[in-house]
Amino acid sequence: MSPGFIRLLAEAWSRFRSAADLVLAIAGALLFLPALAVQLLCDPLPSLPTTGNDEAAARAWIDALGTWAQANGLWYVLADLIGMVGLAAIALLLLDPARPSVGEALAAAGRRAGRFILASVLVALPVGAGLWLFVLPGLYLQARLVMTVPILAADSQQGAARALAASWAGTRPLAWGLFGAVTMLFLVQWLAVSPLLSADDWLRAPAHHNPFVIALVAVLLAAITSAHKIALLLLGMVAYRRASKGM
């Protein structure tokens, strides 16, 4: 019988508690700090037009978005790449049969960074498209591909494309439990982030500008985003362990 999403989330939480010090040390340096840096140092995204179907306003927003991407996009990409290496190091630390130290896990993640980054991009493309289309297809794809990074960490000979295929096959018995868990994590993140994004827009308006509170909001946004990524990784590890043991 396939486990429910609550059981899977509980196992992921137990996995985190067993290695919290190591996970938080790596995540703090390689996920949280880069995310916080771009929040504080890069320009905010242009606000969406509020005039409905105004074609001129939409065109102006697209132009502003392009200008923003040219000035800030590289830093966001760099922060994401560093975060991917951090997630790979956590996965290696917890799943590599050789039981590496933190330093060895970081070194191995650096050596195999290309494979982990390629796999992350291959996962992000269909998941992002699914989220953009109707949210739920993206969450289902995320659930089915959640084992990709753990598979790469556990098997140094595995390639990125093969890891995606192995994740799709390995998550089949757990599909609906994983879908429920991924959906729950998405909803929790969305409920936490949405008011903070609104507050950030409000605080950046000239009439309400408050650098201290903006920094506090940036800290919370970076922490929530990092926590969501770690939770998905740990969920993937739980799925991998179950698939390896035949449920």
Side-chain angles (χ1 to χ4, degrees), residues 22 36 42 57 64 85-88 93 117 120 126 135 142 144 156 161 213 224-225 239:
L22 298 175
L36 178 60
C42 292
V85 173
L87 291 171
L93 187 68
I117 290 170
S120 297
V135 180
Q142 192 168 52
R144 296 299 303 273
S156 61
V213 182
I224 293 167
T225 302

Side-chain angles (χ1 to χ4, degrees), residues 2-85:
S2 177
F5 73 91
I6 294 177
R7 177 68 178 275
L8 293 172
L9 290 173
E11 290 182 19
W13 174 249
S14 177
R15 187 75 173 158
F16 169 74
R17 290 184 62 187
S18 68
D21 291 347
L22 298 175
V23 171
L24 290 176
I26 296 174
L30 298 181
L31 275 79
F32 172 74
L33 286 180
L36 178 60
V38 295
Q39 286 284 339
L40 291 176
L41 301 178
C42 292
D43 299 326
L45 276 166
S47 299
L48 288 168
T50 58
T51 51
N53 295 324
D54 188 332
E55 184 177 342
R59 190 180 300 112
W61 178 79
I62 292 172
D63 291 342
L65 185 64
T67 301
W68 176 90
Q70 290 178 358
N72 303 279
L74 177 62
W75 300 111
Y76 275 86
V77 170
L78 181 60
D80 281 343
L81 292 178
I82 295 171
M84 290 175 193
V85 173

